[in-house]
Amino acid sequence: MQKKRLMIIGAGGVGNVAVRKSARMEEIYEEILLASRTKEKCDAIAGEAGPVPVRTASVDADDVDALVRMIGEFRADLVLNVALPYQDLTIMEACLRCGVHYVDTANYEPRDEAHFEYSWQWAFHERYEKAGLTALLGSGFDPGVTNVFTAYANKHYFDEMHYLDIVDCNAGDHGKSFATNFNPEINIREITQPGRYYEMGEWKRTEPLEIHQNVDYPRIGSKESYLLFHEELESLVRHFPTLKRARFWMTFGQQYLTFLRVLEEVGMTSIKPVNYQGMEIQPLQFLKAVLPEPSSLGPNYQGQTSIGCQIRGLKDGKERTLYIFNNCSHQMAYQDAKAQAVSYTTGVPAALGTSLIARGIWKKPGVWNMEQFDPDPFLSELGPLGLPWEVVVDGKLAFGK
């Protein structure tokens, strides 16, 4: 196989992991370019990555022409986008103009509206198909691995899947009074908007964090888990039409929720610009600037995450349950990639999904979600790359019908 040239856009916590993992794939890549608005962040990561050479550059990912120039000058074969979700469309457009494949970890979200869905990116399908290019959407953990888990369950364990609950627990402790585990701006926008879940062909709306219950997580125990909308639900119910209900749950500690409530009440989570000393500023962007950088949390993080899919359905006419999940240690993530587990569990699948496209294992023209490819190659490499997974068949689930 001819070695590929990979461009990675974004030098946050996820970008750090994706670069370190990709740079160890010397049988796949000839060279990597890491680009971000802040070149110094890129330099810090590149200095510790290898053996694949990693060069760095500064780029404005909102500027299609600048992206086109950089992709062309580097002669990239594919681009991994781990920048902000607001920038998905400009990067997808640049990849189309340059004739290179595209991968991301989160779907598009308008900068001025806390609302995310796949329609904007799915609209690129025909253009990518005609160009003979592959765009892989949501190659993180959730979305990403959870989509692949669902496809794997459908392929190997069920004739019909009826009920899907994706459960995401971070049982770690970073020692800070209040901090977010990934980009604060994106994290807070996600959990402060109304919840949604799918049931019997309809999307049902809830107030933010209105519905919650205890869920027992493997080797962690019972944690209060809150229902919220997550993007993989949109694609999974579309591609697995036998699903009668699909929901997403995430754990939050009471201290975190108390801080969040106070910040909401004083207006600091608002995305509506305010005038301050003659300047227009967005309160949430200012809050992001004063909160701890998520990539800085790794050294002192203790505990682990647990993310998986609880599925109920039919096999050979009999009811079956399945729980497929990964537990990831924050300490292990830091030892392997100088990251906390939330960044690690996103960056590892990003690097893996990109490598499958680079090798032609996952490759077909158009815009695709993770569950639309064969899950077996991905899951066969996920464990050796740092995220081992487990399956419990016909065990007790946290959720009934």
Side-chain angles (χ1 to χ4, degrees):
M1 184 193 84
Q2 184 176 358
K3 292 186 179 183
K4 307 298 184 189
R5 301 177 64 79
L6 170 64
M7 179 174 173
I8 298 177
I9 303 174
V14 175
N16 165 62
V17 176
V19 170
R20 289 173 186 267
K21 286 294 189 180
S22 299
R24 296 172 193 171
M25 301 176 182
E26 55 185 329
E27 75 284 0
I28 301 175
Y29 299 117
E30 174 185 271
E31 189 174 15
I32 295 169
L33 170 62
L34 175 60
S36 178
R37 190 180 297 272
T38 308
K39 186 175 182 294
E40 290 76 17
K41 287 186 177 181
C42 300
D43 294 338
I45 296 168
E48 297 184 348
V52 176
V54 181
R55 72 165 77 170
T56 64
S58 175
V59 71
D60 178 359
D62 293 316
D63 186 336
V64 175
D65 291 336
L67 289 167
V68 167
R69 283 194 298 273
M70 186 166 289
I71 294 169
E73 289 170 2
F74 179 64
R75 296 179 288 111
D77 295 295
L78 63 168
V79 170
L80 169 58
N81 166 22
V82 286
L84 293 170
Y86 320 137
Q87 297 163 327
D88 287 358
L89 303 188
T90 55
I91 299 173
M92 288 186 79
E93 180 65 36
C95 287
L96 261 176
R97 293 189 192 179
C98 292
V100 304
H101 306 292
Y102 170 88
V103 182
D104 69 29
T105 63
N107 69 355
Y108 175 71
E109 181 176 351
R111 194 181 294 271
D112 58 356
E113 182 185 3
H115 175 79
F116 51 95
E117 61 180 57
Y118 279 116
S119 61
W120 290 288
Q121 292 179 275
W122 285 340
F124 279 79
H125 178 78
E126 187 175 339
R127 295 174 65 200
Y128 267 79
E129 189 174 39
K130 286 182 178 179
L133 299 173
T134 300
L136 178 63
L137 307 183
S139 188
F141 205 106
D142 45 345
V145 177
T146 51
N147 302 62
V148 178
F149 279 170
T150 304
Y152 183 82
N154 185 70
K155 178 178 179 179
H156 295 287
Y157 290 96
F158 290 96
D159 296 323
E160 289 187 9
M161 296 186 298
H162 292 164
Y163 301 94
L164 167 65
D165 286 279
I166 298 171
V167 290
D168 182 330
C169 171
N170 178 14
D173 180 8
H174 47 54
K176 304 288 186 182
S177 296
F178 182 80
T180 62
N181 294 293
F182 57 96
N183 188 300
E185 190 178 348
I186 305 304
N187 185 200
I188 292 173
R189 283 166 65 119
E190 177 181 85
I191 65 176
T192 56
Q193 67 176 289
R196 277 191 292 156
Y197 66 96
Y198 178 86
E199 188 168 44
M200 301 304 290
E202 296 181 353
W203 287 101
K204 299 194 174 182
R205 184 184 174 101
T206 71
E207 292 301 311
L209 308 183
E210 173 189 2
I211 298 174
H212 52 96
Q213 73 168 69
N214 279 311
V215 174
D216 192 53
Y217 293 90
R219 296 182 290 279
I220 291 173
S222 181
K223 294 289 183 181
E224 195 72 8
S225 305
Y226 294 79
L227 185 147
L228 57 132
F229 177 71
H230 227 239
E231 59 223 66
E232 64 263 47
L233 297 180
E234 182 184 9
S235 69
L236 288 170
V237 299
R238 174 174 174 163
H239 298 134
F240 298 108
T242 63
L243 284 171
K244 298 178 180 180
R245 188 183 68 212
R247 302 180 296 191
F248 182 95
W249 306 80
M250 184 176 283
T251 61
F252 300 102
Q254 286 307 308
Q255 179 170 299
Y256 180 93
L257 293 177
T258 299
F259 270 92
L260 183 63
R261 210 168 289 121
V262 171
L263 290 168
E264 279 190 280
E265 288 176 0
V266 299
M268 286 304 299
T269 63
S270 173
I271 61 174
K272 183 178 180 180
V274 297
N275 188 287
Y276 176 72
Q277 295 185 346
M279 296 176 59
E280 288 274 301
I281 63 169
Q282 192 185 89
L284 183 55
Q285 289 182 337
F286 177 80
L287 178 62
K288 172 188 173 182
V290 298
L291 286 176
E293 167 63 41
S295 61
S296 73
L297 301 175
N300 300 313
Y301 226 130
Q302 303 295 314
Q304 61 185 316
T305 62
S306 182
I307 312 172
C309 299
Q310 298 195 4
I311 305 170
R312 190 183 298 273
L314 296 176
K315 179 66 175 178
D316 298 327
K318 297 179 181 179
E319 183 171 285
R320 162 166 283 180
T321 66
L322 186 89
Y323 188 10
I324 179 169
F325 64 92
N326 159 266
N327 277 33
C328 181
S329 159
H330 286 288
Q331 299 95 318
M332 180 281 294
Y334 190 75
Q335 290 167 5
D336 183 39
K338 288 196 174 177
Q340 33 92 344
V342 177
S343 296
Y344 190 84
T345 55
T346 304
V348 169
L352 176 52
T354 304
S355 78
L356 290 175
I357 291 178
R359 287 174 282 167
I361 297 171
W362 276 8
K363 198 170 185 180
K364 53 184 176 180
V367 176
W368 310 99
N369 294 91
M370 298 281 282
E371 68 271 18
Q372 293 178 277
F373 289 92
D374 181 2
D376 294 353
F378 184 94
L379 290 180
S380 71
E381 297 186 28
L382 185 64
L385 207 58
L387 295 176
W389 47 281
E390 302 173 47
V391 177
V392 178
V393 181
D394 292 333
K396 183 180 179 181
L397 303 184
F399 311 94
K401 297 180 180 178

